[in-house]
Amino acid sequence: MLNGIKLDNNKVVIDLTTLHNTAVSEIIQELKTIIYNNNVDVFYVVSNRYENELHEFYFFKKFVEQIKGKFNIFLMLKTVCFNSTKFFDSIFALGVDALDLTIDATGTDSATIDYVTRLWPSGTIFTDIIGECSDSDIKETISQFTAKKVIPRIMKENACERTESSFCVRDFIIKSLKQNSVSLKWVMNFELCGIIQQKAGQKGRSKRKIAGRVAFELASLRRKLMVKEVQSSFDSASL
Amino acid sequence: MDRIEIDRRSVYVLFFLKYYKAFIFVVATVLFGFALTVDVTAELGVEGYKALCVFFYCLILWVTNALPLAITGLLAIVLIPTLEVVSHKMSYSFFGNEAIFFILGAFIIAAANKKSGLSERISLELLYRSGGNKRRIILYLLLFAAFMSFLMPEHAVAAILFPVITDIVVMLKLKKGISNFGKALYLSLAWGCITGGVATYLGGARNPLAVGILQEFTGVTIGFFEWIRAVTPAVLVMLFFAYIILIRFFKIKNEVIPSMTEIVKLKKIERGRFSFLEAKVLIVTTLTVIAWIAFKDIGIANIALFSAIMMFLLNVIKWEDAAKTIDWGIIIMYGGAISLGASLIETKAVFFLADKVMATFHPTAFVMIVLFIVLSIWLTEGISNSAVVVFLLPVALSISKTYGIDPKLATFCVAVPSGLVYMLPTGSPPNAICYSSGFYSIKESFQAGLIMNLISITVLILTAKYYWPWIGLKFE
């Protein structure tokens, strides 16, 4: 397996920061092999090097275009919360289905968060919570993010290792998301947020697959309707 | 990064805007299905009723463009025998109408003209001879576009002349949306094509379609020269008024543009000497037109196809060139329309429809003629001009039989105004092509076109009242 690509349950983690010197065709070939041999639902792409670096962005763009064109698979991007609506417009148009944002703790990203949560379908914006140790701290952080329609991801490898109380945290997140009318269909049907995913295990796998596929196709249609390239707008006027 | 825009409107609104045609299709199909279950009056008969259902169903699809025109044409051909309106054999045999093959031949002749560059050469020569006088350029362009549309499809003429006009506009540095001369230039091209397109069979495929329907309905046909003789006087009058409106509406002064002659001269040099290829096309086209006038017994479709074959034999074009120009969608659409019209006649459904119209309104023959003209000219602004012919002509022919109106006159009253789309850019391809220049707004096109529409209605009514009876086409 290429350095920078890792299989994690039904998810393939692709670190473009490591792979940026590798040819896109080589990465695609590797992914083809993985998909052929495993049951993969999600591509989790990590890339933080493209803002103001056109070359990096074009590499990323080419990669996403190829990946969406060849696999038609759910794609989640881990990225810094850039203060650029144009950047998020572009990656939304490219076909990124969900975001895992690295959010600045000082709260300067509010406007961007508000922007992306309105642009992507409800329940597809995530952020990782790390370093919160006490129950009250973690609950407060969860409440803050869910109020902004962002789903907190508390993974098993969380610094606090709160595995024993994870059920309690999971229930709190779900309750909080429901209170803020954030859709749970994505986290229930895809391998996006480990802690919540455990709850979804109660549902039948085939049922989840169908529900996930329907949600995925509807989200693709939504994107197709919302995105207008300048050239296509001109063409649509029959001019 | 890409130049993309995100549409922020509700997804439901976007979905409707994107797929409203699908909604129309579903609603029309449900209504069609429901209509088929309704009990039929004995007067109309089961086949006649089903034929009318298919007719209105296809009409809705044609008018709204809910399906591509050609696909609706195919649907008509499929539905007629499936619903046992007429037999399979008969339904498909309607597609073998002469008009369909004439259209095929006309497309190939147009492809040869375009490839040889003959039409472009003639247009440059014409502009050169205008001497750079603004009003004369408008007049020459109007007349030349009209004359070219006598011989080839109007949209092909617009496509050939559009780049020539654009080059001139660029060289003269005319500004989009500001230059009145630029606006008048593009509109004169559009109006010339549209007005000239109704004068012969060749200008628009709706003309042979109308003759095809006439032939299926009555067994009589209209000769190439007969059509020209009936329509050309009205076309000339309309061209005269088009010229007056253009120079008045856009305030074109009688002045000379000094650089104009030089610009066109340069383009003429670029074009090179008159080639052997152009000579071959000129000879074949001339002989074709002569044959259409002098040997009409051979049949216009036969002559057109023979001419098309000559273009291949003389190595003017290759099949690949012709295939690029032949619009199979138009041919299939017309095939469907003719099949539909013929099935209405076969089941006598169209007579039933016409009887109902007359029983409701009791108009005189002249009022009916006025009604056909006015309806056609307004309907064609919103819907495809062929759809107007398909919808109105069978009814008009049926009514004309009762009123003693010459069926040829009824055909002219529907076919000619259905080609005169002066107001909206969406109404016909020449309008759309010229509007794409960005020189004039829809408002300007609408205002000038409205005046032209009213004049056209008046000219056609007067032609129907005085000129057509004078050449033997009676209505009372």
Side-chain angles (χ1 to χ4, degrees), chain B residues 22 37-38 41 126 132 158 168 189 210 283 295 315 359 376 388 429 462:
Chain B
T37 62
V38 173
T41 59
L126 188 98
I168 290 165
L189 172 58
I283 292 167
F295 307 105
N315 205 21
S376 301
V388 176
L462 291 175

mmCIF file of all heavy atoms in Angstrom, chain B residues 22 37-38 41 126 132 158 168 189 210 283 295 315 359 376 388 429 462:
data_model
loop_
_atom_site.group_PDB
_atom_site.id
_atom_site.type_symbol
_atom_site.label_atom_id
_atom_site.label_comp_id
_atom_site.label_asym_id
_atom_site.label_seq_id
_atom_site.Cartn_x
_atom_site.Cartn_y
_atom_site.Cartn_z
ATOM 1 N N ALA B 22 -40.067 17.834 -16.980
ATOM 2 C CA ALA B 22 -40.445 16.476 -16.578
ATOM 3 C C ALA B 22 -41.817 16.497 -15.909
ATOM 4 O O ALA B 22 -42.637 15.601 -16.121
ATOM 5 C CB ALA B 22 -39.397 15.906 -15.628
ATOM 6 N N THR B 37 -59.432 6.786 -21.035
ATOM 7 C CA THR B 37 -60.407 5.939 -20.333
ATOM 8 C C THR B 37 -61.838 6.479 -20.441
ATOM 9 O O THR B 37 -62.789 5.804 -20.058
ATOM 10 C CB THR B 37 -60.051 5.834 -18.834
ATOM 11 O OG1 THR B 37 -60.120 7.159 -18.276
ATOM 12 C CG2 THR B 37 -58.671 5.256 -18.615
ATOM 13 N N VAL B 38 -61.957 7.713 -20.948
ATOM 14 C CA VAL B 38 -63.294 8.351 -21.016
ATOM 15 C C VAL B 38 -64.117 7.714 -22.144
ATOM 16 O O VAL B 38 -63.576 7.338 -23.188
ATOM 17 C CB VAL B 38 -63.120 9.878 -21.257
ATOM 18 C CG1 VAL B 38 -64.461 10.555 -21.494
ATOM 19 C CG2 VAL B 38 -62.402 10.504 -20.082
ATOM 20 N N THR B 41 -68.012 9.610 -27.765
ATOM 21 C CA THR B 41 -69.299 9.837 -28.448
ATOM 22 C C THR B 41 -69.299 9.029 -29.745
ATOM 23 O O THR B 41 -68.275 8.868 -30.405
ATOM 24 C CB THR B 41 -69.468 11.326 -28.814
ATOM 25 O OG1 THR B 41 -68.393 11.693 -29.666
ATOM 26 C CG2 THR B 41 -69.491 12.214 -27.592
ATOM 27 N N LEU B 126 -21.734 42.016 -51.954
ATOM 28 C CA LEU B 126 -22.886 42.895 -51.746
ATOM 29 C C LEU B 126 -22.534 44.064 -50.830
ATOM 30 O O LEU B 126 -22.860 45.219 -51.113
ATOM 31 C CB LEU B 126 -23.977 42.035 -51.109
ATOM 32 C CG LEU B 126 -25.303 42.690 -50.972
ATOM 33 C CD1 LEU B 126 -26.189 42.252 -52.121
ATOM 34 C CD2 LEU B 126 -25.936 42.284 -49.663
ATOM 35 N N GLY B 132 -20.398 51.640 -48.474
ATOM 36 C CA GLY B 132 -20.210 52.125 -47.103
ATOM 37 C C GLY B 132 -21.339 53.000 -46.592
ATOM 38 O O GLY B 132 -21.262 53.524 -45.478
ATOM 39 N N ALA B 158 -28.478 32.706 -41.654
ATOM 40 C CA ALA B 158 -28.077 33.492 -40.475
ATOM 41 C C ALA B 158 -26.693 33.038 -39.980
ATOM 42 O O ALA B 158 -25.854 33.866 -39.640
ATOM 43 C CB ALA B 158 -29.110 33.338 -39.367
ATOM 44 N N ILE B 168 -17.367 42.837 -39.404
ATOM 45 C CA ILE B 168 -17.542 44.252 -39.771
ATOM 46 C C ILE B 168 -17.753 45.102 -38.517
ATOM 47 O O ILE B 168 -17.148 46.164 -38.348
ATOM 48 C CB ILE B 168 -18.736 44.393 -40.752
ATOM 49 C CG1 ILE B 168 -18.340 43.767 -42.097
ATOM 50 C CG2 ILE B 168 -19.145 45.854 -40.933
ATOM 51 C CD1 ILE B 168 -19.479 43.518 -43.023
ATOM 52 N N LEU B 189 -30.337 41.348 -40.439
ATOM 53 C CA LEU B 189 -29.986 39.969 -40.806
ATOM 54 C C LEU B 189 -31.110 39.016 -40.361
ATOM 55 O O LEU B 189 -31.594 38.189 -41.150
ATOM 56 C CB LEU B 189 -28.653 39.576 -40.145
ATOM 57 C CG LEU B 189 -28.238 38.106 -40.279
ATOM 58 C CD1 LEU B 189 -28.122 37.681 -41.727
ATOM 59 C CD2 LEU B 189 -26.917 37.849 -39.560
ATOM 60 N N ALA B 210 -46.027 21.897 -44.481
ATOM 61 C CA ALA B 210 -47.402 22.355 -44.745
ATOM 62 C C ALA B 210 -47.915 21.734 -46.038
ATOM 63 O O ALA B 210 -49.072 21.281 -46.106
ATOM 64 C CB ALA B 210 -47.431 23.877 -44.826
ATOM 65 N N ILE B 283 -23.595 26.327 -60.291
ATOM 66 C CA ILE B 283 -24.268 25.708 -61.443
ATOM 67 C C ILE B 283 -25.367 24.736 -60.974
ATOM 68 O O ILE B 283 -26.513 24.809 -61.428
ATOM 69 C CB ILE B 283 -23.235 24.978 -62.346
ATOM 70 C CG1 ILE B 283 -22.332 26.017 -63.019
ATOM 71 C CG2 ILE B 283 -23.934 24.114 -63.405
ATOM 72 C CD1 ILE B 283 -21.091 25.432 -63.674
ATOM 73 N N PHE B 295 -39.816 22.065 -64.313
ATOM 74 C CA PHE B 295 -40.163 20.631 -64.401
ATOM 75 C C PHE B 295 -40.817 20.146 -63.116
ATOM 76 O O PHE B 295 -40.392 19.174 -62.505
ATOM 77 C CB PHE B 295 -38.902 19.793 -64.693
ATOM 78 C CG PHE B 295 -38.133 20.248 -65.888
ATOM 79 C CD1 PHE B 295 -36.940 20.936 -65.748
ATOM 80 C CD2 PHE B 295 -38.617 20.005 -67.173
ATOM 81 C CE1 PHE B 295 -36.234 21.373 -66.858
ATOM 82 C CE2 PHE B 295 -37.904 20.439 -68.287
ATOM 83 C CZ PHE B 295 -36.708 21.132 -68.127
ATOM 84 N N ASN B 315 -18.073 15.881 -56.358
ATOM 85 C CA ASN B 315 -17.057 15.969 -55.295
ATOM 86 C C ASN B 315 -17.070 17.321 -54.578
ATOM 87 O O ASN B 315 -16.028 17.819 -54.133
ATOM 88 C CB ASN B 315 -15.667 15.694 -55.890
ATOM 89 C CG ASN B 315 -14.709 15.174 -54.839
ATOM 90 O OD1 ASN B 315 -15.154 14.654 -53.810
ATOM 91 N ND2 ASN B 315 -13.426 15.333 -55.071
ATOM 92 N N ALA B 359 -69.479 25.321 -35.254
ATOM 93 C CA ALA B 359 -70.777 25.336 -34.582
ATOM 94 C C ALA B 359 -70.759 26.316 -33.411
ATOM 95 O O ALA B 359 -71.780 26.906 -33.062
ATOM 96 C CB ALA B 359 -71.103 23.933 -34.085
ATOM 97 N N SER B 376 -51.767 32.254 -36.131
ATOM 98 C CA SER B 376 -50.453 31.692 -36.500
ATOM 99 C C SER B 376 -49.334 32.638 -36.117
ATOM 100 O O SER B 376 -48.323 32.218 -35.547
ATOM 101 C CB SER B 376 -50.376 31.432 -38.011
ATOM 102 O OG SER B 376 -51.377 30.558 -38.398
ATOM 103 N N VAL B 388 -46.999 25.101 -34.858
ATOM 104 C CA VAL B 388 -48.156 25.905 -35.282
ATOM 105 C C VAL B 388 -48.781 25.275 -36.520
ATOM 106 O O VAL B 388 -50.007 25.130 -36.613
ATOM 107 C CB VAL B 388 -47.733 27.369 -35.576
ATOM 108 C CG1 VAL B 388 -48.902 28.179 -36.110
ATOM 109 C CG2 VAL B 388 -47.178 28.022 -34.330
ATOM 110 N N PRO B 429 -34.453 30.276 -35.040
ATOM 111 C CA PRO B 429 -32.974 30.253 -34.974
ATOM 112 C C PRO B 429 -32.311 31.561 -35.448
ATOM 113 O O PRO B 429 -31.371 32.017 -34.776
ATOM 114 C CB PRO B 429 -32.597 29.066 -35.863
ATOM 115 C CG PRO B 429 -33.788 28.192 -35.838
ATOM 116 C CD PRO B 429 -34.976 29.096 -35.740
ATOM 117 N N LEU B 462 -54.471 41.654 -46.364
ATOM 118 C CA LEU B 462 -54.751 42.310 -47.657
ATOM 119 C C LEU B 462 -54.395 41.372 -48.821
ATOM 120 O O LEU B 462 -55.108 41.316 -49.826
ATOM 121 C CB LEU B 462 -53.968 43.624 -47.770
ATOM 122 C CG LEU B 462 -54.431 44.732 -46.823
ATOM 123 C CD1 LEU B 462 -53.517 45.950 -46.909
ATOM 124 C CD2 LEU B 462 -55.867 45.152 -47.130
#
